[in-house]
Amino acid sequence: MNASMEAVSRTLSAYAAGERPERAVEKAAVKHLLGLLVQRAPGKSVEVRIPPYAAVQCVEGTHHTRGTPPNVVETGARTFVELATGRLAWAEAVADGRVRASGTRADLGELLPLITP
């Protein structure tokens, strides 16, 4: 298993145990999974923000160059890792407020999960 997948595995194990993963491990997991999202949906029409770790642009379509983008998805690290690994459904996360998605292209439900470890 490579280091990135090890970070995802360790992060999921910490969540399952009711613990907070080490910050560096959780950050590595988020960055790896965001990288997979960009590979699956290259483009610049949606900005995905996982504070405090990272933000990426993805999904084909018109892109923005300045200011707040028209299509934004923002969530916490745990929610993103759970979405990306199939442990949480997009519709459920949006409905209960764990994901904030604005804009016509901000529905990532069709792109998730990214992996199923």
Side-chain angles (χ1 to χ4, degrees):
M1 178 181 310
N2 70 32
S4 297
M5 284 306 297
E6 176 69 21
V8 172
S9 178
R10 288 178 57 197
T11 297
L12 289 171
S13 292
Y15 294 158
E19 299 170 357
R20 177 123 175 105
E22 294 175 41
R23 182 177 170 88
V25 173
E26 187 177 53
K27 180 179 181 179
V30 166
K31 288 183 151 240
H32 173 66
L33 294 167
L34 283 172
L36 294 177
L37 177 62
V38 170
Q39 287 176 2
R40 179 167 291 173
K44 296 199 181 279
S45 71
V46 178
E47 185 165 294
V48 179
R49 300 173 180 166
I50 314 300
Y53 299 131
V56 297
Q57 292 181 356
C58 58
V59 182
E60 277 189 25
T62 2
H63 67 277
H64 71 282
T65 54
R66 291 178 28 192
T68 302
N71 302 290
V72 175
V73 173
E74 186 168 339
T75 191
R78 180 176 183 150
T79 299
F80 180 68
V81 170
E82 290 177 342
L83 286 167
T85 58
R87 285 167 173 71
L88 176 63
W90 174 260
E92 179 184 344
V94 170
D96 68 17
R98 285 185 272 178
V99 169
R100 291 168 302 286
S102 61
T104 58
R105 302 183 65 87
D107 185 343
L108 302 181
E110 296 290 320
L111 300 171
L112 301 168
L114 299 167
I115 60 171
T116 50

